[in-house]
Amino acid sequence: MKKPERILAERLLQISAIKLQPQNPFVWASGWNSPIYNDNRRILSYPDIRNLVKVEYSRAILENFSEVEAIAGVATGAIAFGAIVADMLGLPYVYVRSTPKDHGLENLIEGNLKPGKKVVVIEDLISTGGNSLKTVDVIRTYGCEVIGMVCLFNYQFPMAVKRFREADVSLVSLCTYSSMLGVAEETGFISPVEAEALREWREDPSGWVPNQAE
């Protein structure tokens, strides 16, 4: 029987929520050349995959953070995922903005988060971890305890691992870069040469040269 992580990887590749282009790389906002791009919002248009993701998020929370009292989504990519997971678990839900709203109440947290609650943060994607951990800081400032975070996809960058450890945040990933790459290669989604380029990028994303994939 296939593990849920491998099933998720297959489905995300099939609907192009994960796009692999080592010979025609993307450019991230950071300026990095990247052979991979995540567009997890595509999941929302596929009810069967959306349901799979909802179930796996919920399972991960119940197995790892059973004392959870509230769910918080990270804006903007995880807002919808957090909402459907909170609904499935019957828990209060808020989402956290990256910057305060520039009018009205100027909220950072949208919803009603009561101090003292044990919160699990829902994230769709972990790259360097910076934005995700800003959300944790905001929730902690509001007087709540972040007991963990669950993400859909994790690039597994060493800098992110270090940041989460230093922030004392327990992270559970539904799908990882290494598992996705294994599935992509085994199913013929990419060639061995392309797989090697993706491995090289993963080792040095900021210094990776695109023509290595040619």
Side-chain angles (χ1 to χ4, degrees), residues 28-30 41 72-78 95-99 108-109 121-140 146 149 151 155 157 159-161 163-164 167 169 171:
W28 282 8
S30 62
R41 292 175 179 85
V74 180
T76 59
Y95 70 85
V96 182
R97 294 176 175 272
S98 57
T99 57
L108 261 177
I109 294 182
V121 176
I122 295 293
E123 180 62 288
D124 75 314
L125 180 68
I126 301 290
S127 54
T128 62
N131 289 334
S132 306
L133 291 174
K134 284 180 183 178
T135 294
V136 172
D137 289 340
V138 170
I139 294 170
R140 286 172 170 171
V146 175
M149 182 182 298
C151 74
Y155 280 101
F157 290 142
M159 68 184 79
V161 174
R163 283 176 169 174
F164 274 84
V169 176
L171 175 65

Side-chain angles (χ1 to χ4, degrees), residues 173-195:
S173 306
L174 302 184
C175 186
T176 62
Y177 188 85
S178 57
S179 63
M180 176 280 302
L181 186 54
V183 168
E185 188 171 16
E186 291 169 17
T187 59
F189 198 87
I190 54 174
S191 69
V193 171
E194 291 172 324

Side-chain angles (χ1 to χ4, degrees), residues 38-95:
N38 288 77
D39 185 12
N40 291 325
R41 292 175 179 85
R42 292 181 66 89
I43 295 168
L44 301 174
S45 298
Y46 296 84
D48 57 335
I49 303 177
R50 187 178 67 220
N51 189 62
L52 172 64
V53 167
K54 176 180 67 176
V55 169
E56 288 305 307
Y57 266 122
S58 300
R59 179 188 58 78
I61 292 170
L62 293 176
E63 289 182 356
N64 296 279
F65 312 112
S66 59
E67 67 271 35
V68 60
E69 296 174 320
I71 300 294
V74 180
T76 59
I79 291 176
F81 296 123
I84 61 177
V85 169
D87 186 63
M88 185 170 191
L89 296 177
L91 292 171
Y93 176 65
V94 300
Y95 70 85

